[in-house]
Amino acid sequence: MAKEVSDEFSALLTASQPRIYGFIFKRVVNHDLAKEILQDTNLVICKKADDYQPGTNFIAWVFRIAHFQILSQRQKANSRPMLSDQTIELLSDTKEENIFDDKLSALNTCLQDLSTDNRQLIMKRYSGKFSVQQYAQESGKRENAVSKILHKIRHSLSKCIKLKLAEA
Amino acid sequence: MNSEERNKLEELLATLMESALSDSEQKELDQILQSSDEARDYYNDYIDTHIALDWHFGDQSLDLPSGLEPMINQPPEKKTLKFIAPILALAAILTLVFVLPKTEKPDESNLAQKDYTLLKSVSANWDKNQNFKVGDGFEKGKHSLKSGYCEISNGKGVKLIVEGPAEFDLVSPMKVKLEKGTIVAAVEEEGIGFQVDTPKTNVVDLGTEFGVSVQENGDTEVHVLDGKVETITGSNKKLINKSEATLITAKSTVAKAADAGKFMRILPEKPKEEISYIHWPLNEGQGKVSTYKGENLKDKDYDAYLKSTYANGNGPNWINGKFNKGVHFDGNGNYIETGFPGIGGAHARSVSFWVKIPKDVRTDQATSMLAWGSYLGKGRTWQVSWNWQAKDGNVGALRAGLYHGQIVGTQDLRDDKWHHIAVVMFGDGKPNVSTHILLYVDGKLEPASRKSILDVKTDIKSKKSTKVLMGRDAMAQIYGKKQHKVFKGSLDEVYIFNFALNDEQIRQLMEYNKFVK
């Protein structure tokens, strides 16, 4: 069993969970696999907690650990497909991870610009109140059509977040 | 990325968000992502939005890895991440230094026999020299609150918080007409059917809490904070549910998300139990230590130590202060360290002090007059300074910063004159920056030039938190950035209280340097 970590470390790690999950998911493009790797990554992070130098870039440190967990997953005999090494390498060049907090704040504002219907749909989808399948059945729409509406909302939110960050 | 690739990428992402991609789809995605920076940027932004939505709306899909449970001492049944943060925040709240005061509510059975009665008042300034005291009744008819806040009740399950400047007409026990300004109505079962009329619409309560805001031109916003209301605009009736809002102008009606941060939903209660405070008079006039006074404090060393970030620096200079002596920080290494942890979590608090800021001060000499807390997450710092960046509000105005959230006043303090400062936070419910923090300059409530929403959870427990500092940026102190960000200006008579000061107490501190219970 892993040893106990300090409150501060737990707080840092907790606050970083969405970013670590995002980092992994972007590279393995599979929700279940991303969750498994997140779990392994968290364990390694806690085991190595003493290696972390307070005041240094925590996110960069945990992303390195996550990166190695993704690579080790790929080397397993029964490994599931994920993005190619080359693509993963290219994704690592981006700096998206550093502004996630700002994106979260911008999202809050952008959600207010959505129509009531779209806001309710996205809220229900992400608060786990229904699955796309359930909503499709209830609303008489095809699942594919519901996915497309959700995609359009995400697309417009992404655009809005980008604009807000550029304004700031 | 050509349009075909773009369409394909969007199609693949739409699928990926709801299910798994097939092997061939995954290969297609891989190829598109290799093709251009544009594709990768879009992909990154899109997935960040997905993750941010997940986090924002409840984080249902991110399970806490079971291996983490023993490390953070949690009951095994709590398996989702969303439970961690509240537990950690709770730990911070549990470490308050002061004895927690209980609050009392006015005895509503003794209200005057008028339709509406004043329950609370914060810096309320009424038109025509009217002076309402708590417990006074209001006559029917028009009233004008020039500034400040008041809470009034109809004694029939309706409480209204009016934010000045506001003009309103008390039409009947169950109807108020709001001509201008902002009202928040909290309605219990007995008061269902209570109505707020505005020049553009009538809002009928159906069991709820809602905010109504009317502009000079009559444009009206209705925000439902809880329950639901019905708006009647001309012959149109519309139901508005919790978390929804509507903006009604002469030309249109637009639906929006409710913005709870726009409204003051509670006013401070009077503390019932013993209160605590610490006071550094800064009157020694010589030496490197300044002793503290106070009431109901733990018996610890809370003295103020005059220091410098330079090994051979002298620390702040003694000067003639507002009351007796004071200290001057030269903006080049001087600061004061204390052993007092500050007030933690979301507990009520007030700070009061005198400050004099030179006209030629630089923006890197803004932080801070007074600070404590940590940077281990949003809302964990409590730092009082002047605002150094225009994007957050008026530059030079009083600023209470919490790390990723702040409230900024209006008046530029950089005039080389002494100003009395008070920052007051209420402790009920779940305080956040915009709804629960009031700024006072020279005894007057300062209108906020800008504010942002954030939960207050000041960290006074973790090892990465700093005890109360004066004249020093908290982050620079915690992370050992020796020569960065020290405050330039003078301070005197610094107080920290474990409750929300009222107007009269602030006036007494300002005029007589006396705290009156």
Side-chain angles (χ1 to χ4, degrees), chain B residues 20-310:
Chain B
L21 294 179
S22 67
D23 287 0
S24 62
E25 285 172 329
Q26 203 159 315
K27 274 182 192 150
E28 273 184 288
L29 176 65
D30 197 278
Q31 277 169 5
I32 296 171
L33 290 179
Q34 282 190 27
S35 71
S36 68
D37 284 338
E38 189 195 348
R40 291 189 291 275
D41 282 348
Y42 183 83
Y43 177 75
N44 272 322
D45 287 342
Y46 189 92
I47 292 181
D48 276 348
T49 302
H50 165 72
I51 306 277
L53 282 163
D54 227 359
W55 193 250
H56 180 89
F57 283 115
D59 173 36
Q60 298 290 322
S61 61
L62 294 181
D63 291 332
L64 174 67
S66 55
L68 261 178
E69 286 156 14
M71 296 176 227
I72 54 169
N73 303 318
Q74 284 197 88
E77 68 274 13
K78 294 186 173 173
K79 281 212 170 189
T80 54
L81 263 173
K82 60 183 170 180
F83 289 106
I84 301 179
I87 287 171
L88 292 173
L90 182 66
I93 292 165
L94 289 173
T95 57
L96 291 170
V97 175
F98 294 127
V99 180
L100 290 170
K102 284 186 183 168
T103 54
E104 66 176 352
K105 289 183 178 174
D107 182 358
E108 290 178 43
S109 62
N110 292 332
L111 296 179
Q113 297 302 309
K114 292 188 179 176
D115 285 347
Y116 291 86
T117 308
L118 182 68
L119 297 182
K120 293 177 193 165
S121 172
V122 175
S123 301
N125 179 14
W126 296 91
D127 200 17
K128 295 175 194 157
N129 296 322
Q130 284 179 300
N131 184 19
F132 293 103
K133 292 191 293 294
V134 170
D136 282 355
F138 283 87
E139 301 284 350
K140 273 184 189 172
K142 292 188 176 180
H143 298 274
S144 175
L145 177 66
K146 283 158 74 181
S147 60
Y149 301 87
C150 72
E151 182 176 317
I152 61 179
S153 164
N154 71 351
K156 294 181 169 64
V158 177
K159 280 185 191 169
L160 305 173
I161 292 181
V162 185
E163 179 175 348
E167 285 170 21
F168 59 99
D169 185 353
L170 300 173
V171 180
S172 74
M174 290 299 277
K175 190 194 269 195
V176 167
K177 186 162 189 195
L178 180 64
E179 306 281 358
K180 194 183 82 177
T182 300
I183 279 183
V184 174
V187 182
E188 291 169 7
E189 204 175 337
E190 190 189 353
I192 289 178
F194 177 77
Q195 191 167 329
V196 178
D197 291 356
T198 80
K200 292 265 159 59
T201 190
N202 301 333
V203 186
V204 182
D205 174 86
L206 302 171
T208 188
E209 185 183 12
F210 63 95
V212 184
S213 184
V214 179
Q215 306 297 318
E216 288 282 353
N217 64 2
D219 287 358
T220 299
E221 284 189 42
V222 181
H223 293 239
V224 180
L225 310 170
D226 200 5
K228 53 189 168 184
V229 304
E230 185 177 63
T231 55
I232 307 166
T233 311
S235 56
N236 291 333
K237 286 187 178 181
K238 195 179 169 217
L239 205 61
I240 310 176
N241 293 306
K242 182 181 175 179
S243 303
E244 294 176 351
T246 188
L247 168 63
I248 302 158
T249 67
K251 289 179 183 166
S252 64
T253 300
V254 182
K256 296 169 58 173
D259 180 359
K262 276 179 87 99
F263 302 97
M264 184 71 92
R265 296 169 71 176
I266 55 163
L267 295 183
E269 307 276 353
K270 193 177 176 187
K272 190 179 179 184
E273 291 186 4
E274 95 186 344
I275 49 170
S276 307
Y277 73 94
I278 188 163
H279 174 203
W280 292 278
L282 303 171
N283 282 343
E284 279 75 4
Q286 59 176 4
K288 299 290 174 206
V289 185
S290 184
T291 54
Y292 74 94
K293 297 182 188 174
E295 276 185 44
N296 300 317
L297 297 165
K298 286 185 179 175
D299 190 18
K300 288 200 172 168
D301 178 10
Y302 295 144
D303 286 346
Y305 291 85
L306 284 62
K307 296 198 163 187
S308 170
T309 58
Y310 294 100

Side-chain angles (χ1 to χ4, degrees), chain A residues 1-15 17-19 21-22 25-31 35 38-40 42-43 46-47 54-55 81-87 90-91 94 96-97 100-105 107-108 111-112 114-116 119-120 122-123 125-128 132 147-148 150-155 157-158 161-162 168, chain B residues 6 9-11 13-21 23 26 29-31 33-35 37 40-68 70-73 81 84-85 88 91 238 241 243-245 255-259 375-378 380 391 404 453 459 461-464 479:
Chain A
M1 191 180 99
K3 61 191 165 62
E4 286 203 1
V5 296
S6 67
D7 282 355
E8 300 100 278
F9 193 86
S10 296
L12 270 175
L13 182 55
T14 305
Q17 289 294 296
R19 281 195 277 180
Y21 179 78
F25 180 73
K26 283 173 193 171
R27 285 149 181 84
V28 305
V29 288
N30 179 299
H31 298 281
K35 280 184 207 168
L38 174 67
Q39 182 159 330
D40 294 344
N42 279 326
L43 283 170
C46 289
K47 277 182 197 160
M82 51 179 80
L83 293 182
S84 65
D85 280 342
Q86 199 185 345
T87 309
L90 285 166
L91 284 173
T94 60
E96 87 276 12
E97 293 84 5
F100 187 78
D101 277 352
D102 296 332
K103 286 184 175 176
L104 266 178
S105 309
L107 172 70
N108 215 358
L111 281 169
Q112 297 192 20
L114 292 180
S115 71
T116 308
R119 199 172 51 250
Q120 281 183 346
I122 205 91
M123 188 174 79
R125 158 67 178 81
Y126 280 94
S127 57
V132 168
S147 294
K148 274 187 181 154
L150 284 165
H151 164 69
K152 278 186 183 155
I153 302 172
R154 277 187 221 104
H155 173 84
L157 285 172
S158 283
I161 290 170
K162 206 167 185 169
Chain B
R6 171 64 177 250
L9 177 59
E10 290 197 33
E11 194 186 307
L13 282 170
T15 309
L16 174 62
M17 291 303 104
E18 310 307 336
S19 58
L21 294 179
D23 287 0
Q26 203 159 315
L29 176 65
D30 197 278
Q31 277 169 5
L33 290 179
Q34 282 190 27
S35 71
D37 284 338
R40 291 189 291 275
D41 282 348
Y42 183 83
Y43 177 75
N44 272 322
D45 287 342
Y46 189 92
I47 292 181
D48 276 348
T49 302
H50 165 72
I51 306 277
L53 282 163
D54 227 359
W55 193 250
H56 180 89
F57 283 115
D59 173 36
Q60 298 290 322
S61 61
L62 294 181
D63 291 332
L64 174 67
S66 55
L68 261 178
M71 296 176 227
I72 54 169
N73 303 318
L81 263 173
I84 301 179
L88 292 173
K238 195 179 169 217
N241 293 306
S243 303
E244 294 176 351
K256 296 169 58 173
D259 180 359
Y375 288 85
L376 295 177
K378 295 177 178 181
R380 292 181 190 249
K391 79 177 174 69
H404 286 294
I453 310 289
D459 172 16
K461 191 194 172 199
S462 75
K463 286 176 194 157
K464 276 288 171 191
Y479 294 107

